[in-house]
Amino acid sequence: MSRTGSLRRSFLPRLSPALPLYLFTLVFVLGPLVYMLALSFMHREGAWGVAAEFTLRNYQRIGIPEFAGTFVQSILLSLISTVMVIILGYPFGYFMARLDKRWRSRVMLLLIIPFWTSSLMRLYGWIIMFRANGPLDILLMGLHITREPMRLLYSYPAVVTGMIYALLPFMIYPVYASAEKLDRELVEAARDLGASPIRAFLTVSLPLTMPGLFSGVVLTFVPSMGLFFIADILGGNKVVLVGNLIHEQLMKAHDWPFAAALSVVLMVMTSIFIYLYRRLSRTLGGSGELEGLV
Amino acid sequence: MKKNSVVLLTAAIFLIPFMVISGCSKKDTVKKQLTLYTWAEMFPQEILDGFEKDTGIAINYVNFEEDETMLTKLQTAKGGDYDLIIADDYIIETAIAEGLVQKLDKSKLSNYRNINPLYQGPFYDPRDEYTVPYGAGVVTLVYDPSRVSVNIRGYADLWDPSLKGQVGLLGNYRVINGMALKVLKQSYNTNDTAVIRQAGERLLGLAPNIRLIRDDFLEEELLSGEIAAAVMYTSQATAAKLENPELEVVFPTEGIGFGIMGSFIPSKAPNAEAAYAFLNYILDARRGAECFEYLGYYSTYTASDPLISDEYKSFLTLPAGFNVNMEMIQNIGEEAEEEHSRIWTAFRTAAGQQ
């Protein structure tokens, strides 16, 4: 009697304010996940129905080279995009932190403004840019750099450009956040002790901004696995990523169980990636959290 | 004071329409309303207005975007709620099988004889008991003769090396894989996975020629010169041809795939009489012609064909003596469907690696 009483006293009051949140998570996060997991072990029936019989067939089908290839293709594109985003975004974020206050907020505003339009709209902007005889062609031909229209649209480089464009801010912000916290005096101390600028950067600034770079990598690599519409729009549907395959299985093939299995595998892969990130981040002395955003 | 009057005025503006609607809707719509359930923009506004004026039946036009949404709603309503539905062939097959469609009483359709026999007795309704066709889509080849050096007459011509990076395709894998099946002189609907696999290998040879695969606005790409030849749907071919009359529209010699949109009355339609009235109204030769010109799909009424204006005639009516082998794409077995998914993914990936 007294035990249940104390339990109620200690447990319920703590639980109750957050109860709606727990319920929300249960219904809208856990529920769909369980549904998806269950669906992935069923099989399709008729044109688009689902038969509730246990099967491993969907997971076996993922092993077929064509379908497994979409995972390879996705990881490859994500890797290429992430590396490009590091090359462009790291210096951007790093030097942005060194601007004076007024310029810093101006640059930040310029980074945010494009987000006020729909991402699809911005992608269509790239289509106009890359189109045969579009602005880019006119410029390059006007400068006598190229002689005839380049066929940029619906190509792999176009997809990579779109990915970089969509992901760049997610690298710049975390890098900026950790570069801003960087104690400039440490760099000056290194310089005073005779380190060259490059050596001072490599031994002081880079390790201290590593957490920002790391979370930037997570924030670009993980979502890039799901940005299938960029491959659709700028790649002319020819670069088949896991996301494209899932979309197609849902919308065109009406094979929901296979789409669910693909999603489960994709989620497991992403989770492993985040787990590795946290392990690596902890061994390097970080908190394992996402610097700059969490 | 002034502020108050502004608030009142705003409130009045917002409330008046509601009062009007709630005031008049109760009395006269119970019997005299047609709930029409189909895609958006299936009829010219004049036809809808004309029907309301001539019959006094108000049209409640409800939209869906995907056939599957329609079927789910119809299943939930157990064949009720809607009076007339227009959807794609393959989904009607399922709707009929599930008993969600009522048999037509043709004595109520005096214009029934206007239908083109070519579009009758389809796989989903072999004895024409349940449906009336409304427009047909034919997969055609469209190309710009000024930019193509081959004389394209059939699917096989798309494999020509001179078309490298010049071809656009619509994104339906049954249609595109089916193209290779047709080149191999096979049926679209084969369940033989070995044959589908063979078609997939054939398709890989086409990959270098593919510039893009897309369902929407494919015609824009042809008009802008991004591609020189395309496999497209009727409505796209219509739009392209209207914009640039120089384009060639070809019925592939290997045979063509086509789809029919069919109208049917659900088993428990609240107002089947209104549905009959509307069906008969659009089955009229002249009104039918107006509808097909607006819709951009092939006319399914023989009586309407001569009334379609010359501008549209060549691509909304089939030429006289048309005898190319026609086949409709139907539901196939699970394994065949899976093999189609596989060869389609392989094909797209190969096209992307060029």
Side-chain angles (χ1 to χ4, degrees):
Chain A
M1 180 74 192
S2 69
R3 266 187 76 189
T4 53
S6 77
L7 184 73
R8 195 163 44 216
R9 251 196 315 275
S10 65
F11 185 62
L12 277 183
R14 255 191 300 151
L15 183 77
S16 52
L19 196 63
L21 203 66
Y22 286 126
L23 277 178
F24 185 88
T25 315
L26 219 59
V27 174
F28 292 106
V29 179
L30 197 63
L33 274 180
V34 171
Y35 175 65
M36 195 172 81
L37 195 65
L39 203 58
S40 72
F41 290 106
M42 297 177 187
H43 69 93
R44 126 150 102 213
E45 190 177 53
W48 64 85
V50 175
E53 290 160 27
F54 179 83
T55 175
L56 287 172
R57 188 165 162 64
N58 297 312
Y59 289 96
Q60 286 162 353
R61 277 182 77 198
I62 294 175
I64 294 173
E66 282 79 7
F67 297 136
T70 64
F71 283 91
V72 177
Q73 181 86 263
S74 299
I75 294 172
L76 203 66
L77 180 65
S78 291
L79 278 177
I80 294 172
S81 313
T82 307
V83 169
M84 294 297 288
V85 164
I86 292 174
I87 293 171
L88 293 168
Y90 183 85
F92 194 114
Y94 184 79
F95 288 110
M96 191 168 115
R98 296 180 56 180
L99 291 172
D100 74 60
K101 235 186 177 146
R102 227 155 28 115
W103 275 101
R104 214 187 284 172
S105 50
R106 279 177 198 167
V107 173
M108 206 179 273
L109 187 70
L110 286 177
L111 274 175
I112 292 172
I113 285 176
F115 280 82
W116 295 352
T117 25
S118 130
S119 57
L120 227 53
M121 283 299 208
R122 286 180 280 141
L123 278 183
Y124 279 105
W126 281 107
I127 290 193
I128 294 170
M129 188 70 104
F130 284 148
R131 213 174 248 310
N133 294 309
L136 194 65
D137 268 341
I138 292 171
L139 181 77
L140 290 176
M141 286 193 285
L143 294 172
H144 299 286
I145 296 172
T146 54
R147 286 221 203 112
E148 49 186 43
M150 293 185 297
R151 299 166 66 83
L152 287 174
L153 197 54
Y154 310 125
S155 65
Y156 202 76
V159 176
V160 175
T161 311
M163 296 288 275
I164 295 170
Y165 175 72
L167 295 169
L168 196 55
F170 298 102
M171 175 61 74
I172 293 177
Y173 283 123
V175 169
Y176 164 78
S178 67
E180 201 196 13
K181 277 188 281 182
L182 177 69
D183 190 347
R184 297 293 315 159
E185 286 175 11
L186 291 176
V187 184
E188 278 159 29
R191 297 279 285 129
D192 281 347
L193 293 169
S196 67
I198 293 173
R199 198 183 151 93
F201 172 77
L202 289 177
T203 52
V204 181
S205 310
L206 186 62
L208 286 173
T209 51
M210 214 38 138
L213 183 64
F214 259 29
S215 44
V217 168
V218 173
L219 287 174
T220 51
F221 187 83
V222 175
S224 70
M225 303 281 286
L227 292 176
F228 66 91
F229 58 95
I230 294 180
D232 259 7
I233 293 175
L234 293 175
N237 249 316
K238 295 183 297 184
V239 180
V240 193
L241 308 177
V242 189
N244 301 91
L245 190 59
I246 294 173
H247 181 243
E248 191 167 81
Q249 290 301 317
L250 278 177
M251 305 307 292
K252 295 222 162 121
H254 304 300
D255 193 341
W256 286 42
F258 186 46
L262 287 165
S263 308
V264 169
V265 173
L266 183 62
M267 279 181 61
V268 169
M269 266 174 48
T270 328
S271 308
I272 290 173
F273 180 74
I274 291 178
Y275 170 76
L276 287 178
Y277 158 74
R278 294 180 74 121
R279 281 279 300 272
L280 195 64
S281 165
R282 285 218 185 88
T283 47
L284 290 175
S287 62
E289 300 300 333
L290 294 180
E291 168 88 18
L293 281 129
V294 180
Chain B
M1 183 62 207
K2 204 176 173 194
K3 215 175 186 177
N4 270 344
S5 61
V6 172
V7 172
L8 274 179
L9 191 68
T10 322
I13 289 170
F14 279 103
L15 287 177
I16 285 170
F18 290 107
M19 293 183 210
V20 173
I21 291 169
S22 60
C24 68
S25 64
K26 283 259 163 73
K27 275 179 243 158
D28 45 14
T29 55
V30 179
K31 198 83 209 165
K32 303 213 112 191
Q33 186 177 351
L34 167 76
T35 305
L36 175 63
Y37 190 33
T38 185
W39 296 278
E41 299 180 5
M42 288 287 282
F43 297 97
Q45 195 56 43
E46 302 86 71
I47 293 286
L48 298 175
D49 291 345
F51 176 75
E52 291 192 330
K53 204 165 146 252
D54 292 359
T55 61
I57 299 170
I59 296 175
N60 173 23
Y61 197 121
V62 189
N63 292 336
F64 60 80
E65 276 182 29
E66 303 255 342
D67 288 302
E68 288 68 34
T69 319
M70 180 280 292
L71 188 73
T72 314
K73 287 234 175 116
L74 189 62
Q75 284 166 337
T76 320
K78 298 196 165 59
D81 288 3
Y82 308 106
D83 299 314
L84 187 65
I85 297 181
I86 303 176
D88 276 322
D89 40 46
Y90 71 98
I91 206 98
I92 299 179
E93 185 182 33
T94 314
I96 293 176
E98 294 187 5
L100 297 166
V101 184
Q102 59 174 274
K103 281 193 182 170
L104 290 175
D105 178 356
K106 286 170 199 156
S107 69
K108 290 175 181 166
L109 299 170
S110 58
N111 292 327
Y112 189 82
R113 59 184 186 309
N114 288 347
I115 299 171
N116 187 339
L118 190 65
Y119 302 108
Q120 285 194 303
F123 72 91
Y124 56 89
D125 185 12
R127 275 173 288 174
D128 293 313
E129 293 170 299
Y130 298 94
T131 60
V132 173
Y134 179 70
V138 179
V139 174
T140 47
L141 299 173
V142 185
Y143 71 99
D144 185 345
S146 68
R147 302 181 55 230
V148 169
S149 54
V150 265
N151 185 15
I152 299 180
R153 284 293 156 258
Y155 293 130
D157 296 321
L158 293 179
W159 268 255
D160 193 281
S162 71
L163 289 170
K164 191 172 191 322
Q166 297 280 2
V167 179
L169 300 175
L170 54 83
N172 182 313
Y173 65 88
R174 288 289 307 279
V175 173
I176 301 304
N177 296 348
M179 217 164 74
L181 283 169
K182 283 292 166 200
V183 170
L184 295 172
K185 298 192 167 41
Q186 298 287 342
S187 155
Y188 279 123
N189 302 310
T190 179
N191 273 311
D192 186 342
T193 48
V195 171
I196 300 171
R197 179 180 298 267
Q198 216 184 333
E201 276 153 26
R202 188 66 181 247
L203 217 44
L204 291 179
L206 181 65
N209 289 357
I210 302 307
R211 183 100 168 98
L212 79 151
I213 301 163
R214 174 188 298 167
D215 270 336
D216 306 320
F217 306 115
L218 191 57
E219 70 276 11
E220 300 288 332
E221 306 286 341
L222 188 62
L223 291 166
S224 75
E226 200 71 46
I227 50 176
V231 177
M232 39 170 95
Y233 294 117
T234 298
S235 53
Q236 297 171 322
T238 307
K241 186 84 177 158
L242 282 177
E243 189 91 4
N244 179 3
E246 302 293 308
L247 296 177
E248 289 274 350
V249 179
V250 183
F251 297 113
T253 46
E254 293 94 343
I256 54 176
F258 74 112
I260 301 180
M261 293 182 282
S263 40
F264 64 89
I265 304 176
S267 55
K268 295 201 180 90
N271 194 357
E273 291 310 312
Y276 280 113
F278 187 77
L279 271 179
N280 206 41
Y281 191 82
I282 55 167
L283 267 168
D284 172 77
R286 175 148 302 282
R287 294 189 198 112
E290 269 178 62
C291 287
F292 296 126
E293 282 187 13
Y294 172 83
L295 195 61
Y297 278 87
Y298 277 80
S299 157
T300 42
Y301 310 154
T302 316
S304 299
D305 287 356
L307 301 172
I308 287 176
S309 58
D310 289 341
E311 192 188 3
Y312 292 89
K313 197 166 266 171
S314 68
F315 43 87
L316 291 188
T317 60
L318 290 174
F322 183 78
N323 65 352
V324 172
N325 161 32
M326 287 175 90
E327 192 185 9
M328 295 182 78
I329 290 177
Q330 307 174 26
N331 294 326
I332 50 171
E334 211 171 304
E335 276 180 32
E337 192 71 55
E338 287 179 6
E339 187 62 13
H340 270 292
S341 266
R342 187 190 69 79
I343 66 168
W344 174 241
T345 307
F347 168 61
R348 283 165 70 201
T349 306
Q353 279 159 359
Q354 298 302 319

